Amino acid sequence: MHPIIEIKTIMYMRAIAREGSFQSAAEALYTSQPALSQYIKRVEDELTFPLYERDRGRCIPTAAGTVLLEHGKALLENYESMLEEMKTAANVKDVRIGWPTGYTLLYFTKLFSYMENNFLVNAHILEDSVEVLLSALLKKDIDLLFTPAIYAHPSMEYVTVRHEEFYLGVPKKHEINALLAQTQRDDGFVDLCHVKGLPFLLIDAKAYTVFFYDLFRYFDWMPNVIFVCKNWDRGFNLVAQGECLAILPYWYADRNNENVIFYRIKNKRSTYRIFACAYRKNAIISNPMQAVINYMMEHAGDEYAGTPIDQETLPLHFRF
């Protein structure tokens, strides 16, 4: 009887190749390094030949291990395709969706209500940082991720939902408003050079900080950040209370608030970032997944909705 190669074996070996060591792979697989090593040793004993050369802590695939990795990739893809077809045949409507912290209240309530009322999708939501959600997507713990597009990865694809314009938010009673009103262009734009030295707040999320500091990149000074917030609403409230200035997304500028004045930003850098739908490359897009994508494009998208994103234009590379 021939030895049986399990899907689990292929997944474990691909994790070792991706992470570069048994220890790192074990962490990514949420197991221990001894347990992973023992599992691979049992597979090798059953096969009667080694899959790795072990030398001073290094684990290099043997010729046989390399063959398993190469063919295993295609087997995994076929396996995942089979599972998706089985779900479709069984009329499974579950979709696991990732939302970065700060976006759930903006989009999820309406999406959830629409899908439930129309019996289209059973949505399961994971809310966390962009980095945690990207890992979850690549590990297949979620099916779709709606996120600012800042990280490139060869195993993912992005499609635009909308361009998110960012505005300068200033407390209404702040004296700088007089200067900004004098220098403001007819189209409502102001130059950030006029707010040099003034106190700013920052949102504690890399997807935001990269964008925030890039706005000031061509000046010979950086913003005077005095406070770091954990979420958008806290930051907006601090501006409304007169504590500091902030760079805030369009959904705050669209509100009528008597305590904050919003200005469009004149800048050599882009004053918007792309909010996108991310999914695994070559993934089978099930009907429920497509229903979620269609809803977001129709109800949250702008004129750029549906535009593919060239990952070479993204500022960061995601290590997984």
Side-chain angles (χ1 to χ4, degrees):
M1 181 176 178
H2 294 294
I4 297 175
I5 301 294
E6 298 178 321
I7 293 294
K8 178 180 177 180
T9 303
I10 301 171
M11 294 175 66
Y12 276 17
M13 289 188 64
R14 284 177 61 80
I16 295 167
R18 182 178 66 242
E19 299 295 333
S21 71
F22 272 56
Q23 181 62 50
S24 296
E27 293 174 2
L29 294 166
Y30 299 101
T31 188
S32 67
Q33 187 271 329
L36 177 59
S37 295
Q38 290 167 15
Y39 176 84
I40 296 297
K41 185 66 171 62
R42 285 198 301 271
V43 173
E44 291 177 322
D45 288 344
E46 185 175 345
L47 292 171
T48 70
F49 50 78
L51 297 173
Y52 290 94
E53 296 177 1
R54 296 166 174 83
D55 179 29
R56 299 178 183 179
R58 296 185 307 160
C59 288
I60 302 170
T62 61
T66 300
V67 170
L68 195 154
L69 280 169
E70 291 175 350
H71 287 268
K73 180 181 179 182
L75 286 172
L76 271 183
E77 290 174 353
N78 289 333
Y79 174 74
E80 291 164 5
S81 177
M82 178 191 69
L83 288 180
E84 291 301 329
E85 289 185 25
M86 289 170 65
K87 289 179 182 178
T88 300
N91 199 29
V92 174
K93 296 182 177 181
D94 290 353
V95 178
R96 302 164 301 169
I97 308 170
W99 298 93
T101 304
Y103 282 90
T104 305
L105 290 177
L106 184 64
Y107 293 121
F108 175 63
T109 303
K110 293 180 180 178
L111 168 66
F112 185 83
S113 176
Y114 177 84
M115 294 299 169
E116 189 175 59
N117 291 338
N118 290 277
F119 305 102
L120 293 173
V121 170
N122 299 321
H124 303 271
I125 302 299
L126 175 63
E127 181 185 59
D128 214 310
S129 68
V130 172
E131 292 76 20
V132 168
L133 293 172
L134 285 172
S135 293
L137 181 67
L138 293 169
K139 291 175 184 174
K140 304 181 178 64
D141 292 334
I142 58 176
D143 305 306
L144 297 173
L145 171 58
F146 291 94
T147 178
I150 66 164
Y151 285 105
H153 192 280
S155 297
M156 293 192 312
E157 291 185 6
Y158 288 100
V159 61
T160 302
V161 175
R162 66 171 298 130
H163 285 187
E164 296 182 321
E165 189 78 17
F166 278 73
Y167 292 75
L168 172 65
V170 181
K172 187 172 184 179
K173 296 182 179 180
H174 200 294
E175 60 185 15
I176 194 62
N177 286 306
L179 176 60
L180 293 176
Q182 291 176 5
T183 59
Q184 190 175 22
R185 298 184 346 187
D186 292 339
D187 53 10
F189 285 84
V190 299
D191 198 314
L192 290 177
C193 67
H194 299 303
V195 297
K196 180 179 181 179
L198 296 180
F200 271 83
L201 65 82
L202 187 69
I203 307 299
D204 185 21
K206 193 164 187 179
Y208 173 81
T209 57
V210 169
F211 174 83
F212 175 84
Y213 282 112
D214 198 49
L215 288 175
F216 297 88
R217 195 69 63 193
Y218 75 96
F219 294 117
D220 60 357
W221 53 273
M222 282 285 105
N224 175 28
V225 175
I226 65 166
F227 194 87
V228 179
C229 295
K230 290 295 183 181
N231 61 68
W232 291 116
D233 285 344
R234 177 62 174 152
F236 173 76
N237 289 333
L238 284 171
V239 178
Q241 293 167 16
E243 301 298 331
C244 46
L245 284 65
I247 305 296
L248 293 169
Y250 70 95
W251 59 84
Y252 290 103
D254 288 346
R255 298 178 184 176
N256 292 321
N257 186 280
E258 60 184 16
N259 296 314
V260 181
I261 298 176
F262 286 95
Y263 300 93
R264 299 187 72 183
I265 301 169
K266 174 179 175 289
N267 203 290
K268 292 180 179 179
R269 303 281 180 170
S270 175
T271 58
Y272 69 87
R273 67 182 185 186
I274 300 175
F275 182 65
C277 174
Y279 45 85
R280 292 181 297 278
K281 187 171 288 186
N282 300 322
I284 303 297
I285 305 298
S286 65
N287 290 336
M289 289 168 64
Q290 191 63 56
V292 173
I293 295 171
N294 291 346
Y295 175 89
M296 290 298 294
M297 295 299 175
E298 181 178 349
H299 295 272
D302 59 12
E303 64 268 31
Y304 302 101
T307 306
I309 296 173
D310 180 0
Q311 293 196 47
E312 292 186 2
T313 65
L314 302 183
L316 301 175
H317 289 273
F318 187 68
R319 182 184 178 277
F320 174 70

